[in-house]
């Protein structure tokens, strides 16, 4: 498991550093804005940024390496703060069925839908789940993701949820990417608990979460608050136990209806409330009061052909930080490009390019509780950044598809290429 990096508290730059990176415009994303520094420089020591600013003002460091870029821009590393990358099988056949006119209810009645993913996940070994997750994660890394959150939630039993969480932890050890693990056992009702949702919540609270906490398998706890999943009262029980175990919480809320789950999340000082198509202004006010991040997921909105957008205007009005994420999952967002979500966030949800980029940098980091160490180009932050041979940040939003050429720096070192 990667070692956490703490912010540097010294205001004086050191006389020596490991490396200096020059020759491009810095897109610092401080306070959620571009905050451009033309012809900037970044000094790195021990995997952290120890100085950043205009190259003309750079101190006379002694350094081991200097990297000179010929123009372009440097952004913070991308943060994908909501994914479901670990699961068995895929649902491409069902996707084709739906496009051919078969209803979701008909597919579910035939054993499809989330149940098919649950069955495939339960049957898969850890190594099989790991191999499949690597196939999905590597394309995200190739376009600049340096921090990713991955949820469980397709095991829906103590054994299978723990298996998924162990795979998530293994991914964080195997690859040069910061992986945050989230326990989403309260994702759906397993078939063996049909009609006994409270008993399944008992299992999560009394048996699963204590093991998850004792074995350090999760960094947060999530739940799905919807009519077809779990009620606010049931979610509240999960959150109360999570808090007692010292685990922060997140929530899938207001995706399909308004149950004011986002306000519930805010009452529990949740890191984020996610989806939010049916959130109200009162929900936005509650989130603003506690700093809960709104995580917008345009991939699911697009694939499900939804028509109600998240209340972006209310989030702006009340200064709720807005993150964007891929929501990579087998049923509603089989997305392997976080950069595509930048464009979707702008075209579908009417975000500005600056808001969209903040959504996968500083606000994405805040949605994971990493605002002190990730998400901006500032002294004391982890040295995760990306050089792009582009003229302006909006180009990251503008181009559709394909992998833009880039140099990805992870903890102060150039990261190798990733191919699935």
């Amino acid at each position: 498991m990667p070692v956490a990096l703490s912010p540097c508290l010294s205001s004086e730059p050191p006389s020596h550093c490991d490396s200096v990176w020059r020759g491009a415009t810095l897109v610092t994303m401080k306070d959620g804005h571009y905050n451009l520094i033309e012809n900037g420089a970044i000094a790195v020591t021990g995997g952290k940024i120890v100085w950043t600013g205009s190259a003309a003002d750079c101190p006379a460091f002694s350094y081991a390496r200097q990297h000179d870029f010929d123009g372009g821009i440097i952004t913070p590393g991308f943060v994908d703060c909501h994914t479901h990358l670990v699961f068995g099988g895929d649902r491409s056949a069902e996707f084709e069925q739906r496009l051919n006119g078969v209803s979701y209810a008909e597919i579910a009645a035939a054993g499809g839908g989330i149940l098919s993913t649950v069955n495939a996940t339960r049957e898969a070994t850890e190594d099989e789940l790991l191999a499949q997750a690597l196939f999905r994660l590597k394309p995200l890394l190739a376009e600049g993701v340096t921090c990713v959150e991955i949820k469980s939630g397709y095991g829906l039993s103590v054994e299978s949820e723990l298996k998924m969480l162990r795979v998530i932890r293994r991914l964080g050890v195997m690859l040069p990417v910061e992986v945050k693990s989230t326990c989403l056992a309260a994702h759906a009702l397993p078939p063996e608990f049909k009609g006994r949702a409270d008993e399944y919540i008992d299992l999560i609270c009394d048996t699963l979460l204590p093991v998850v906490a004792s074995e350090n398998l999760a960094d947060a706890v999530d739940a799905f608050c919807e009519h077809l999943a779990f009620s606010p009262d049931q979610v509240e029980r999960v959150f109360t136990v999570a808090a007692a175990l010292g685990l922060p919480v997140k929530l899938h809320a207001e995706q399909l209806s308004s149950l004011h789950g986002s306000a519930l999340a805010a009452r529990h000082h949740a890191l984020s409330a996610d989806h939010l198509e049916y959130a109200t202004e009162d929900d936005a006010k509650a989130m603003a009061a506690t700093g809960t991040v709104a995580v917008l997921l345009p991939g699911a909105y697009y694939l499900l052909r939804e028509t109600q957008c998240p209340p972006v205007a209310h989030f702006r009005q009340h200064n709720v930080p807005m993150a964007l994420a891929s929501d990579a999952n087998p049923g509603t967002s089989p997305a392997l490009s976080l950069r595509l979500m930048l464009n979707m966030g702008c075209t579908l949800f009417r975000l500005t390019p600056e808001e969209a980029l903040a959504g996968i940098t500083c606000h994405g980091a805040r949605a994971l509780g990493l605002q002190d160490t990730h998400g901006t180009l500032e002294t004391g932050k982890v040295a995760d950044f990306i050089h792009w041979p582009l003229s302006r940040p909006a180009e990251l939003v503008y181009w559709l598809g394909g992998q833009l050429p880039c140099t990805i720096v992870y903890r102060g070192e150039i990261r190798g290429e990733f191919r699935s």
Side-chain angles (χ1 to χ4, degrees):
M1 180 179 175
V3 177
L5 295 178
S6 301
C8 176
L9 300 179
S10 174
S11 60
E12 293 295 325
S15 58
H16 175 84
C17 63
D18 296 338
S19 57
V20 174
W21 309 72
R22 307 171 184 263
T25 295
L26 306 185
V27 187
T28 70
M29 298 314 300
K30 183 180 179 182
D31 300 322
H33 299 291
Y34 290 151
N35 280 311
L36 303 180
I37 301 176
E38 295 186 8
N39 190 23
I42 301 173
V44 174
T45 290
K48 292 191 295 185
I49 297 172
V50 294
W51 188 88
T52 183
S54 169
D57 299 327
C58 188
F61 292 108
S62 62
Y63 47 80
R65 300 181 305 279
Q66 178 169 314
H67 301 265
D68 291 302
F69 296 110
D70 185 18
I73 61 174
I74 295 176
T75 68
F78 290 168
V79 180
D80 196 347
C81 65
H82 180 131
T83 82
H84 306 252
L85 288 166
V86 174
F87 58 86
D90 72 82
R91 306 240 288 273
S92 57
E94 294 176 19
F95 172 71
E96 186 172 21
Q97 284 181 289
R98 289 202 306 274
L99 293 177
N100 285 325
V102 182
S103 71
Y104 184 85
E106 291 171 321
I107 291 171
I114 192 171
L115 181 60
S116 66
T117 300
V118 171
N119 289 335
T121 301
R122 288 179 173 183
E123 291 171 2
T125 66
E126 277 193 34
D127 287 343
E128 289 169 340
L129 290 177
L130 182 71
Q132 293 177 53
L134 286 169
F135 172 82
R136 302 170 193 127
L137 178 55
K138 286 179 179 179
L140 291 170
L141 300 188
E143 64 175 23
V145 170
T146 56
C147 180
V148 62
E149 183 253 23
I150 306 176
K151 305 176 190 292
S152 67
Y154 292 114
L156 305 185
S157 69
V158 172
E159 178 185 1
S160 291
E161 287 292 303
L162 293 176
K163 176 174 65 176
M164 291 185 71
L165 292 168
R166 286 193 293 266
V167 170
I168 295 169
R169 286 297 194 218
R170 288 175 65 184
L171 289 167
V173 172
M174 290 178 62
L175 296 177
V177 59
E178 181 78 24
V179 176
K180 305 304 285 187
S181 172
T182 297
C183 179
L184 179 58
H187 188 197
L189 191 63
E192 62 270 21
F193 279 87
K194 185 177 181 179
R196 298 185 293 128
D198 283 333
E199 292 182 34
Y200 180 57
I201 294 296
D202 288 340
L203 180 70
I204 293 172
C205 293
D206 299 339
T207 303
L208 176 60
L209 290 183
V211 175
V212 168
S214 67
E215 297 187 13
N216 190 31
L217 289 175
D219 304 298
V221 171
D222 199 345
F224 189 18
C225 186
E226 270 293 348
H227 292 296
L228 53 72
F230 298 99
S231 71
D233 287 345
Q234 290 164 337
V235 170
E236 187 121 35
R237 290 173 55 199
V238 173
F239 281 5
T240 299
V241 171
L245 294 169
L247 291 168
V249 297
K250 305 166 68 69
L251 187 64
H252 287 59
E254 271 72 72
Q255 181 183 8
L256 307 172
S257 62
S258 178
L259 294 182
H260 300 293
S262 45
L264 164 65
R267 288 199 303 274
H268 285 266
H269 298 273
L271 294 172
S272 71
D274 304 30
H275 286 289
L276 302 173
E277 280 85 340
Y278 286 84
T280 66
E281 184 172 5
D282 285 342
D283 295 325
K285 289 179 180 177
M287 293 170 65
T290 57
T292 296
V293 177
V295 177
L296 309 183
L297 304 170
Y301 176 94
Y302 166 79
L303 201 78
L304 293 173
R305 299 179 180 177
E306 295 288 353
T307 57
Q308 176 143 336
C309 292
V312 168
H314 290 322
F315 295 145
R316 286 188 185 126
Q317 178 184 357
H318 298 289
N319 297 314
V320 177
M322 291 181 287
L324 280 174
S326 69
D327 190 21
N329 76 74
T332 62
S333 187
L336 300 181
S337 171
L338 185 60
R339 196 174 57 76
L340 181 60
M341 298 303 107
L342 289 174
N343 185 278
M344 284 188 172
C346 292
T347 56
L348 299 178
F349 295 162
R350 303 297 189 265
L351 297 179
T352 67
E354 186 176 55
E355 287 174 328
L357 188 57
I360 64 168
T361 55
C362 59
H363 296 330
R366 182 173 294 277
L368 300 178
L370 297 176
Q371 63 271 21
D372 291 336
T373 54
H374 293 71
T376 62
L377 301 179
E378 295 183 85
T379 299
K381 295 290 185 80
V382 175
D384 292 352
F385 50 87
I386 315 162
H387 175 262
W388 308 89
L390 305 174
S391 60
R392 57 183 56 85
E395 277 200 77
L396 292 166
V397 183
Y398 167 74
W399 293 110
L400 286 174
Q403 287 184 1
L404 297 178
C406 61
T407 300
I408 302 167
V409 176
Y410 177 72
R411 297 196 172 190
E413 300 290 340
I414 294 177
R415 196 170 70 180
E417 292 188 357
F418 284 93
R419 302 294 177 199
S420 57

